Amino acid sequence: MAEINNQKIPIYAVLGTVIFKLLFLLTHYIQEDAFITWRVAQNLLDYGVIGFNGTTKISASTTHLYVFLSYVFNLIFGKENFIEPLLIFNSILFTIGSLFLSHLLLKNVWHKAIFIFLTGILPPAIKISILGMEYGLLFFLEMTLLYYGFYKGKKWALVILPILILFTRIDTVIFLGAVFIIDILWNKKVRWLYILGGILGITSVLAFNELYFGELVNNTIIAKKIAYDNHFTFQQNLEYFAQNFGNFWGMLKLPGDFNPLTVFLLIFELVCFIYLIRQKDQRNYFLWIIFVFGWAKQLIFLSQRSLFDWYYWVPQILLFVPVLILILEQKVKKYLWISLFIIFYIMPMLIFQTIHSIATGNGEWNYRREIGLFLHQYEKDKNQWIFLEPAGYIPYFSGLKTIDEVGLVDKGVQHEILKDKPNFWINTVKNRKPKYLLTYDDLYERKDAEYFRTHYKLVKEFRIKDHLKSDYRIIEKIYILKPSGSDYNLYQRID
């Protein structure tokens, strides 16, 4: 009986970790792109079409499976109430994923419990859980594949889970490929069911894209490639990598190009990994999988100059896992090492993430959301168009049809960029004549200011400085210390 109760300790850790992280819901820190996915889900609910603007089909979200999950939560809880339940569900999924990971790497139930909690309060784990994006679902599916498919040897997992993983994000071919390579090198045999799952996953997601949207890969990938395409020399690519890798390899995105804390962490992670794999242990199989995947994902995305930090959340956690294992398995003065590790590393990171979440939540939820709510009240005709960037909070809360400057939710911008990239913005305005423009600039000061004076009037100025107050002095200090958001000007067409 005592053994059975002990086995429940990691489950209690899962519950405790989820409850602890629910405090972060109070910060209202939700990623901009989550609202793109949620609007796609609601577009499916309203029009029966996977799109962003009415009946026009477009894969405006990076993830198909999470769109469907968001659709289900909208259906059950309603458009006004689905966000909190979905965020809680994301947190539960991620934490169960960390439970599976602990089973792969640790034997002691108390080690597993501490591992689950410490993993769950790392900055990327907090963001995966409460920012509303698909990575909680993705982490759960990936760890479930490793646990049930490669640890428990369940045949269904080898076939079904690769399909679900690829429908969550198509770039997960990197994860599935890393698992495939390490599995062959380690076990010296081919798992044909896993190959079947991978083939079915790739062909089904590509076939779905082609048959439904008329394109093989998601529109978001195409749009970003067109909008952010820069032709760099080899030397420029090296310089770009050196300037940016520090803030994405580590867990804290600090100001400036060079982040010495991240460099130190990277070296420490490598040392811990090398130390662990020198011990002859069956878990080395899974350590190699997560290590190779973490490095491969980071290097591939950084080489493509992909600077959206959510691409790096899962690799950041997995590369840090050897550090946690080494600390937990210290033979001498174990609890002293764990205590020092929590006090001098985990707690500072948690405090940093808390401050970041409060400040960014203010800039997003209290500020950008307010702009959307203003437009919702100001413009009753939801068939009117707005041209802006980005396409998350403001289109979601305004309900207006949207053209975004990258072309994620409207392909017309992509055509304008391909025709005349330096002038795509003004050409889009002249050709599409959207009723509203929301910009960072004063349009009356541009070189083509006369056009805007003739056709558009300034409706309202939105300033982040007006949203740095709080009834709580500590919160206000955080807002002022780290103001989050950009100043906007709203223009309305007058002809």
Side-chain angles (χ1 to χ4, degrees):
M1 183 63 70
E3 179 66 23
I4 294 174
N5 289 335
N6 282 341
Q7 294 304 317
K8 291 182 178 179
I9 289 172
I11 304 297
Y12 297 146
V14 169
L15 295 174
T17 304
V18 171
I19 291 170
F20 179 83
K21 287 203 290 190
L22 293 184
L23 292 171
F24 280 88
L25 295 181
L26 300 175
T27 67
H28 293 296
Y29 179 24
I30 302 175
Q31 179 63 39
E32 182 87 26
D33 285 48
F35 285 98
I36 297 179
T37 297
W38 294 342
R39 172 145 163 176
V40 172
Q42 291 179 357
N43 200 85
L44 177 60
L45 190 66
D46 293 337
Y47 297 94
V49 170
I50 301 175
F52 197 87
N53 295 310
T55 57
T56 302
K57 294 179 180 179
I58 186 171
S59 52
S61 172
T62 55
T63 169
H64 296 322
L65 188 60
Y66 189 57
V67 164
F68 179 72
L69 180 64
S70 301
Y71 167 86
V72 171
F73 270 74
N74 271 273
L75 202 61
I76 295 172
F77 295 98
K79 293 180 182 178
E80 303 298 324
N81 304 304
F82 83 95
I83 293 179
E84 286 77 11
L86 182 55
L87 297 184
I88 294 170
F89 187 66
N90 284 346
S91 186
I92 293 171
L93 286 179
F94 172 83
T95 314
I96 293 175
S98 68
L99 171 67
F100 291 155
L101 183 58
S102 74
H103 289 330
L104 300 176
L105 302 173
L106 297 164
K107 295 177 181 178
N108 184 290
V109 291
W110 285 105
H111 288 175
K112 291 180 182 181
I114 298 171
F115 175 88
I116 290 165
F117 182 74
L118 294 184
T119 302
I121 63 174
L122 293 174
I126 291 169
K127 289 183 279 191
I128 284 174
S129 299
I130 60 103
L131 261 67
M133 297 186 71
E134 64 269 20
Y135 289 93
L137 172 63
L138 183 60
F139 188 80
F140 168 77
L141 292 173
E142 290 176 340
M143 295 307 106
T144 302
L145 173 64
L146 293 182
Y147 181 69
Y148 282 105
F150 292 88
Y151 182 69
K152 292 288 189 180
K154 301 296 184 182
K155 294 179 180 180
W156 62 265
L158 295 174
V159 177
I160 295 174
L161 289 170
I163 299 171
L164 297 177
I165 288 169
L166 284 162
F167 263 95
T168 304
R169 286 191 67 93
I170 199 169
D171 56 43
T172 51
V173 292
I174 301 171
F175 172 79
L176 297 173
V179 173
F180 176 73
I181 291 169
I182 298 303
D183 184 57
I184 286 183
L185 293 176
W186 188 275
N187 293 307
K188 304 296 189 297
K189 65 178 182 180
V190 177
R191 297 182 195 255
W192 293 105
L193 285 177
Y194 183 58
I195 292 177
L196 175 63
I199 292 173
L200 289 175
I202 293 171
T203 54
S204 59
V205 72
L206 293 180
F208 176 75
N209 283 342
E210 180 62 36
L211 294 173
Y212 192 85
F213 299 109
E215 57 197 15
L216 282 176
V217 297
N218 297 40
N219 175 69
T220 51
I221 298 173
I222 298 170
K224 289 174 182 176
K225 180 175 177 56
I226 293 172
Y228 302 136
D229 184 36
N230 291 306
H231 299 287
F232 281 18
T233 64
F234 179 75
Q235 182 62 32
Q236 286 174 319
N237 274 316
L238 285 179
E239 292 173 358
Y240 196 81
F241 178 83
Q243 289 172 359
N244 290 286
F245 90 96
N247 281 333
F248 293 93
W249 222 294
M251 297 187 189
L252 302 181
K253 190 176 177 182
L254 300 173
D257 294 334
F258 181 74
N259 182 350
L261 292 176
T262 297
V263 176
F264 173 78
L265 175 61
L266 179 62
I267 295 171
F268 190 48
E269 288 173 347
L270 283 168
V271 170
C272 292
F273 173 76
I274 292 169
Y275 177 82
L276 290 175
I277 61 170
R278 290 180 64 188
Q279 304 172 7
K280 293 185 177 180
D281 198 310
Q282 187 62 29
R283 74 177 176 194
N284 290 355
Y285 168 64
F286 294 105
L287 282 174
W288 272 109
I289 286 175
I290 65 177
F291 181 80
V292 169
F293 162 66
W295 272 84
K297 177 71 180 287
Q298 300 273 42
L299 288 172
I300 290 171
F301 273 72
L302 283 169
S303 70
Q304 298 303 305
R305 300 186 295 278
S306 300
L307 298 186
F308 299 108
D309 63 341
W310 49 86
Y311 295 144
Y312 305 91
W313 291 342
V314 172
Q316 284 167 2
I317 292 169
L318 294 180
L319 289 175
F320 192 70
V321 162
V323 178
L324 290 173
I325 295 175
L326 194 64
I327 295 294
L328 290 172
E329 294 186 345
Q330 287 297 307
K331 302 298 183 184
V332 181
K333 297 181 179 179
K334 176 194 303 183
Y335 296 108
L336 175 62
W337 279 106
I338 294 174
S339 300
L340 291 174
F341 180 65
I342 292 173
I343 292 170
F344 291 104
Y345 193 81
I346 298 294
M347 287 304 296
M349 286 203 300
L350 182 62
I351 292 169
F352 180 92
Q353 184 58 46
T354 302
I355 293 171
H356 178 75
S357 295
I358 291 171
T360 309
N362 175 62
E364 300 287 4
W365 187 264
N366 295 336
Y367 174 58
R368 228 189 288 253
R369 172 174 158 270
E370 183 189 88
I371 299 174
L373 292 174
F374 170 83
L375 279 162
H376 180 75
Q377 294 296 325
Y378 185 81
E379 178 56 69
K380 303 300 182 184
D381 182 2
K382 302 310 174 186
N383 288 315
Q384 296 298 333
W385 291 81
I386 184 170
F387 187 25
L388 49 60
E389 178 64 27
Y393 274 85
I394 296 167
Y396 181 88
F397 286 102
S398 70
L400 296 177
K401 290 189 174 181
T402 303
I403 309 167
D404 70 296
E405 295 179 15
V406 178
L408 298 178
V409 305
D410 184 280
K411 291 186 178 181
V413 171
Q414 297 174 31
H415 302 319
E416 295 293 350
I417 293 174
L418 290 172
K419 284 192 298 184
D420 184 5
K421 189 169 186 177
N423 299 302
F424 85 93
W425 194 88
I426 183 62
N427 289 341
T428 300
V429 173
K430 290 181 176 179
N431 293 335
R432 302 288 294 277
K433 298 179 175 59
K435 185 171 182 178
Y436 295 99
L437 304 174
L438 188 68
T439 75
Y440 306 118
D441 304 324
D442 181 349
L443 297 184
Y444 298 159
E445 297 295 325
R446 288 171 55 105
K447 64 179 181 180
D448 39 23
E450 188 58 36
Y451 173 85
F452 292 104
R453 290 196 184 95
T454 303
H455 298 286
Y456 285 89
K457 68 176 181 179
L458 178 64
V459 175
K460 189 174 176 62
E461 296 177 341
F462 298 96
R463 299 293 179 260
I464 187 60
K465 65 180 177 62
D466 298 329
H467 288 75
L468 302 181
K469 293 185 175 9
S470 172
D471 295 334
Y472 303 96
R473 182 174 297 181
I474 294 178
I475 302 296
E476 186 170 299
K477 285 185 177 180
I478 292 174
Y479 290 167
I480 296 171
L481 174 69
K482 191 182 181 300
S484 178
S486 304
D487 292 340
Y488 284 106
N489 297 315
L490 177 65
Y491 297 87
Q492 179 181 345
R493 194 165 185 92
I494 56 179
D495 60 340

